[in-house]
mmCIF file of all heavy atoms in Angstrom:
data_model
loop_
_atom_site.group_PDB
_atom_site.id
_atom_site.type_symbol
_atom_site.label_atom_id
_atom_site.label_comp_id
_atom_site.label_asym_id
_atom_site.label_seq_id
_atom_site.Cartn_x
_atom_site.Cartn_y
_atom_site.Cartn_z
ATOM 1 N N GLY A 101 -51.288 -12.145 3.740
ATOM 2 C CA GLY A 101 -51.251 -12.199 5.121
ATOM 3 C C GLY A 101 -51.656 -10.989 5.805
ATOM 4 O O GLY A 101 -51.483 -10.838 7.058
ATOM 5 N N LEU A 102 -52.249 -9.994 5.050
ATOM 6 C CA LEU A 102 -52.635 -8.733 5.732
ATOM 7 C C LEU A 102 -54.125 -8.780 6.054
ATOM 8 O O LEU A 102 -54.951 -8.980 5.214
ATOM 9 C CB LEU A 102 -52.425 -7.599 4.728
ATOM 10 C CG LEU A 102 -52.887 -6.180 5.195
ATOM 11 C CD1 LEU A 102 -52.177 -5.781 6.474
ATOM 12 C CD2 LEU A 102 -52.693 -5.152 4.150
ATOM 13 N N TYR A 103 -54.394 -8.604 7.369
ATOM 14 C CA TYR A 103 -55.731 -8.667 7.875
ATOM 15 C C TYR A 103 -56.117 -7.283 8.224
ATOM 16 O O TYR A 103 -55.533 -6.539 9.004
ATOM 17 C CB TYR A 103 -55.781 -9.597 9.118
ATOM 18 C CG TYR A 103 -57.055 -9.620 9.808
ATOM 19 C CD1 TYR A 103 -58.233 -10.050 9.101
ATOM 20 C CD2 TYR A 103 -57.272 -9.210 11.108
ATOM 21 C CE1 TYR A 103 -59.439 -10.160 9.745
ATOM 22 C CE2 TYR A 103 -58.589 -9.298 11.756
ATOM 23 C CZ TYR A 103 -59.632 -9.796 11.086
ATOM 24 O OH TYR A 103 -60.882 -9.881 11.682
ATOM 25 N N LEU A 104 -57.256 -6.848 7.656
ATOM 26 C CA LEU A 104 -57.876 -5.506 7.813
ATOM 27 C C LEU A 104 -59.228 -5.482 8.548
ATOM 28 O O LEU A 104 -59.899 -4.446 8.424
ATOM 29 C CB LEU A 104 -57.795 -4.734 6.476
ATOM 30 C CG LEU A 104 -56.434 -4.501 5.870
ATOM 31 C CD1 LEU A 104 -56.583 -3.729 4.583
ATOM 32 C CD2 LEU A 104 -55.601 -3.668 6.799
ATOM 33 N N GLY A 105 -59.521 -6.567 9.086
ATOM 34 C CA GLY A 105 -60.744 -6.632 9.942
ATOM 35 C C GLY A 105 -61.982 -7.095 9.297
ATOM 36 O O GLY A 105 -61.994 -8.038 8.466
ATOM 37 N N VAL A 106 -63.084 -6.575 9.696
ATOM 38 C CA VAL A 106 -64.424 -7.112 9.295
ATOM 39 C C VAL A 106 -65.270 -6.038 8.540
ATOM 40 O O VAL A 106 -64.940 -4.856 8.571
ATOM 41 C CB VAL A 106 -65.227 -7.592 10.477
ATOM 42 C CG1 VAL A 106 -64.566 -8.760 11.166
ATOM 43 C CG2 VAL A 106 -65.412 -6.435 11.528
ATOM 44 N N ARG A 107 -66.196 -6.506 7.814
ATOM 45 C CA ARG A 107 -66.983 -5.591 7.035
ATOM 46 C C ARG A 107 -68.027 -4.831 7.873
ATOM 47 O O ARG A 107 -68.490 -5.351 8.954
ATOM 48 C CB ARG A 107 -67.853 -6.462 5.950
ATOM 49 C CG ARG A 107 -68.673 -5.580 5.017
ATOM 50 C CD ARG A 107 -69.318 -6.485 4.026
ATOM 51 N NE ARG A 107 -70.040 -5.720 3.022
ATOM 52 C CZ ARG A 107 -70.687 -6.232 1.931
ATOM 53 N NH1 ARG A 107 -70.604 -7.431 1.693
ATOM 54 N NH2 ARG A 107 -71.328 -5.430 1.089
ATOM 55 N N CYS A 108 -68.437 -3.676 7.480
ATOM 56 C CA CYS A 108 -69.383 -2.853 8.188
ATOM 57 C C CYS A 108 -70.632 -2.683 7.264
ATOM 58 O O CYS A 108 -70.599 -3.038 6.106
ATOM 59 C CB CYS A 108 -68.862 -1.399 8.562
ATOM 60 S SG CYS A 108 -68.310 -0.517 7.105
ATOM 61 N N ASN A 109 -71.682 -2.118 7.886
ATOM 62 C CA ASN A 109 -72.862 -1.743 7.092
ATOM 63 C C ASN A 109 -72.640 -0.313 6.591
ATOM 64 O O ASN A 109 -72.249 0.537 7.418
ATOM 65 C CB ASN A 109 -74.158 -1.741 7.907
ATOM 66 C CG ASN A 109 -74.543 -3.191 8.229
ATOM 67 O OD1 ASN A 109 -74.588 -4.081 7.378
ATOM 68 N ND2 ASN A 109 -74.811 -3.525 9.521
ATOM 69 N N THR A 110 -72.898 -0.118 5.361
ATOM 70 C CA THR A 110 -72.674 1.265 4.715
ATOM 71 C C THR A 110 -73.936 1.812 4.178
ATOM 72 O O THR A 110 -74.559 1.159 3.288
ATOM 73 C CB THR A 110 -71.619 1.162 3.586
ATOM 74 O OG1 THR A 110 -70.405 0.627 4.148
ATOM 75 C CG2 THR A 110 -71.222 2.543 3.136
ATOM 76 N N VAL A 111 -74.351 2.973 4.788
ATOM 77 C CA VAL A 111 -75.583 3.602 4.275
ATOM 78 C C VAL A 111 -75.167 5.080 4.143
ATOM 79 O O VAL A 111 -74.673 5.784 5.019
ATOM 80 C CB VAL A 111 -76.693 3.498 5.320
ATOM 81 C CG1 VAL A 111 -77.929 4.319 4.855
ATOM 82 C CG2 VAL A 111 -77.047 2.040 5.643
ATOM 83 N N ASN A 112 -75.462 5.576 2.906
ATOM 84 C CA ASN A 112 -75.120 6.940 2.517
ATOM 85 C C ASN A 112 -73.607 7.232 2.879
ATOM 86 O O ASN A 112 -73.241 8.268 3.361
ATOM 87 C CB ASN A 112 -75.930 7.941 3.258
ATOM 88 C CG ASN A 112 -77.450 7.903 2.909
ATOM 89 O OD1 ASN A 112 -77.689 7.536 1.697
ATOM 90 N ND2 ASN A 112 -78.332 8.017 3.791
ATOM 91 N N ARG A 113 -72.761 6.230 2.483
ATOM 92 C CA ARG A 113 -71.342 6.316 2.667
ATOM 93 C C ARG A 113 -70.853 6.477 4.112
ATOM 94 O O ARG A 113 -69.693 6.763 4.442
ATOM 95 C CB ARG A 113 -70.830 7.484 1.836
ATOM 96 C CG ARG A 113 -71.018 7.474 0.367
ATOM 97 C CD ARG A 113 -70.454 8.608 -0.400
ATOM 98 N NE ARG A 113 -70.702 8.459 -1.809
ATOM 99 C CZ ARG A 113 -70.324 9.418 -2.666
ATOM 100 N NH1 ARG A 113 -69.882 10.503 -2.290
ATOM 101 N NH2 ARG A 113 -70.635 9.217 -3.969
#
Side-chain angles (χ1 to χ4, degrees):
L102 177 61
Y103 177 58
L104 295 179
V106 293
R107 183 177 185 174
C108 61
N109 290 313
T110 304
V111 179
N112 295 326
R113 297 179 179 175

